[in-house]
Amino acid sequence: MSDFTEQALRYHAEPRPGKIGIEITKPAETVTDLALAYSPGVAAPVREIAKDADNVYKYTAKGNLVAVITNGTAILGLGNLGPMASKPVMEGKSLLFKRFANIDSIDIEVTHRTTEEFINTVANIADTFGGINLEDIKAPECFEIEKELIKRCNIPVFHDDQHGTAIVTAAGLLNALEIQGKDISTATIVCMGAGAAAIACMELLIKCGAQREYIYMLDTKGVIHTRREDLNKYKTLFANNTDKRTLLDAIEDADVFVGVSGPNVLSAEALSLMAANPVVFACSNPDPEIEPELAHATRDDLIMATGRSDYPNQVNNVLCFPFIFRGALDVRASEINAEMKIAAVEAIRQIAKESVPDAVLKASNVDKLEFGKTYIIPKPMDPRLLSRVAKAVAQAAIDSGVARLPMPEQYME
């Protein structure tokens, strides 16, 4: 057992198992306190909520409570290890919600026999929460699950493995292309991987200006093309009418490589075939599609990002999901739509172009960060993410008609 593994196990086990807890938000010291908190005082808000269901937001914690829900079928890069094995990850997600956006969150691990049973379980408990963050659910079931829950729930439902990854990828990629003097509308993109994250990333990039016909998506059988007969309906959307069959075929003269697949699948030979000034997002974790040292030794003109914190340009969902939900909850949005996702992309992009606060430099253990090849997206600890991304998302919710409250006063300051 490595020292880090042992440290991680101690972190999770001591001095109290787990990473989250429940706190009391009202006085509970006297007989009067208890009478107000429970019987008979609790009857007053019960009656008010019975008169008008929206009063639940006034008298309970619903409006700042997100459920992190999984079935454990796609845990990180570890695979289908079941609901209980996923619990540390879901608790970690709840920790991040609280740490970065002061959102209360509880993890829920669902055991089920069918996709319909999972959907019914989540839909039946959804009214307890202000929002639902779906996590670590394998493709293609995750697409159907999210689609049906969005239909059935009157609160935001967001599959972070899809859309959180897509938002951060799009923000970083658009900035990288700008630095490299390229335009998303003419860029040739190779996507290694065809699961939930890959498909969501490409769909959002298309909404940001990429051309579907310039995208070459690959799965374990090679390029997804129109003559393949083994494609599900989600992969079919990216079936390219091409004679390219392998990664080496697809990547020749490509501007962008996006990897959401597995370690060491991008060789130096393949990287050398890319167009001048390429952009490489090797986001497999913990081991990227190509090691950064090898990539930089092969090409001195590239911009590279990974999912790791020990290299520049970390593509990390924590840049997005806490603030997406903060903005959505604060205007009581009924859903998280495309307009809100694109607003988050643009807000994240802009922060990277501005001067970096000293506190962020200190937390990052660097003397300087400046928009360029090694700094294309903000650091997760940048405090501007909360106010700027949340406000942009809230405004997009208002503008697109899914908000049920006006812009909060704190965003107007």
Side-chain angles (χ1 to χ4, degrees):
M1 184 184 295
S2 71
D3 290 344
F4 184 77
T5 299
E6 189 174 342
Q7 183 182 358
L9 291 174
R10 283 200 307 270
Y11 174 90
H12 284 79
E14 300 170 1
R16 173 180 168 183
K19 297 190 289 277
I20 59 174
I22 303 245
E23 65 177 2
I24 297 173
T25 62
K26 297 292 191 293
E29 306 304 320
T30 69
V31 170
T32 301
D33 292 338
L34 296 180
L36 290 169
Y38 203 59
S39 183
V42 76
V46 167
R47 293 188 182 103
E48 293 303 306
I49 294 167
K51 290 179 196 172
D52 181 353
D54 276 353
N55 281 331
V56 71
Y57 287 96
K58 183 175 182 180
Y59 295 113
T60 78
K62 173 182 168 79
N64 195 51
L65 184 63
V66 168
V68 178
I69 305 182
T70 190
N71 58 8
T73 54
I75 305 172
L76 301 175
L78 303 173
N80 184 357
L81 300 181
M84 284 303 94
S86 73
K87 191 170 178 64
V89 183
M90 301 308 109
E91 285 190 355
K93 203 77 172 191
S94 293
L95 178 153
L96 295 173
F97 268 116
K98 190 66 176 178
R99 162 64 178 81
F100 288 101
N102 197 27
I103 292 172
D104 294 326
S105 176
I106 191 73
D107 63 294
I108 298 173
E109 292 76 32
V110 178
T111 300
H112 63 99
R113 291 165 294 180
T114 65
T115 298
E116 183 181 11
E117 192 173 87
F118 181 90
I119 292 168
N120 287 337
T121 299
V122 177
N124 288 338
I125 63 172
D127 283 349
T128 304
F129 307 101
I132 291 173
N133 184 102
L134 298 171
E135 193 81 14
D136 287 1
I137 302 169
K138 70 182 177 73
E141 291 86 347
C142 63
F143 300 115
E144 180 186 352
I145 286 169
E146 185 190 46
K147 180 181 176 183
E148 288 303 311
L149 287 173
I150 288 171
K151 274 189 205 173
R152 293 177 58 175
C153 300
N154 201 27
I155 57 173
V157 176
F158 184 83
H159 184 203
D160 186 49
D161 299 311
Q162 290 185 61
H163 309 299
T165 304
I167 288 164
V168 179
T169 298
L173 187 55
L174 287 166
N175 276 352
L177 286 170
E178 180 180 326
I179 293 164
Q180 296 286 57
K182 300 191 177 193
D183 192 290
I184 187 71
S185 65
T186 56
T188 298
I189 301 169
V190 173
C191 179
M192 191 69 184
I199 289 172
C201 283
M202 294 305 108
E203 289 290 0
L204 186 58
L205 286 176
I206 289 167
K207 288 183 173 66
C208 292
Q211 302 301 305
R212 194 178 292 271
E213 60 268 28
Y214 295 164
I215 295 173
Y216 296 91
M217 183 177 284
L218 293 90
D219 61 11
T220 56
K221 296 180 181 178
V223 172
I224 293 172
H225 59 83
T226 52
R227 290 181 286 285
R228 280 180 55 176
E229 298 179 353
D230 60 340
L231 303 176
N232 62 40
K233 62 183 179 181
Y234 305 104
K235 291 183 182 182
T236 299
L237 295 171
F238 290 93
N240 201 303
N241 185 15
T242 180
D243 293 327
K244 299 177 188 291
R245 295 292 180 264
T246 68
L247 176 59
L248 287 176
D249 294 336
I251 206 164
E252 186 170 2
D253 293 327
D255 299 291
V256 176
F257 172 88
V258 175
V260 275
S261 53
N264 303 314
V265 297
L266 179 64
S267 66
E269 178 189 6
L271 177 58
S272 68
L273 295 173
M274 293 185 72
N277 301 317
V279 176
V280 174
F281 276 40
C283 297
S284 173
N285 243 333
D287 300 312
E289 283 77 6
I290 185 170
E291 293 296 329
E293 294 83 358
L294 176 59
H296 288 291
T298 304
R299 298 289 298 254
D300 61 5
D301 60 343
L302 90 163
I303 291 178
M304 174 141 190
T306 71
R308 292 176 52 150
S309 59
D310 52 348
Y311 292 108
N313 300 329
Q314 183 188 19
V315 179
N316 189 329
N317 288 18
V318 79
L319 292 171
C320 164
F321 72 84
F323 318 118
I324 280 267
F325 272 96
R326 182 73 279 159
L329 293 175
D330 285 346
V331 294
R332 206 177 295 168
S334 58
E335 63 178 282
I336 295 173
N337 59 24
E339 292 88 345
M340 295 160 75
K341 295 170 194 172
I342 292 170
V345 169
E346 292 301 325
I348 293 168
R349 283 189 69 192
Q350 184 57 39
I351 291 170
K353 298 179 181 182
E354 300 173 6
S355 298
V356 181
D358 289 340
V360 176
L361 296 176
K362 185 175 180 181
S364 304
N365 199 27
V366 295
D367 296 326
K368 184 179 180 182
L369 285 171
E370 188 174 80
F371 185 60
K373 286 189 173 185
T374 59
Y375 180 65
I376 60 173
I377 43 180
K379 296 291 185 179
M381 64 287 294
D382 194 318
R384 295 172 295 179
L385 288 162
L386 176 56
S387 58
R388 299 270 289 278
V389 179
K391 180 178 180 179
V393 169
Q395 187 63 58
I398 292 168
D399 293 344
S400 61
V402 299
R404 288 172 284 201
L405 293 177
M407 186 70 80
E409 287 186 12
Q410 69 264 28
Y411 289 157
M412 308 303 289
E413 296 173 357

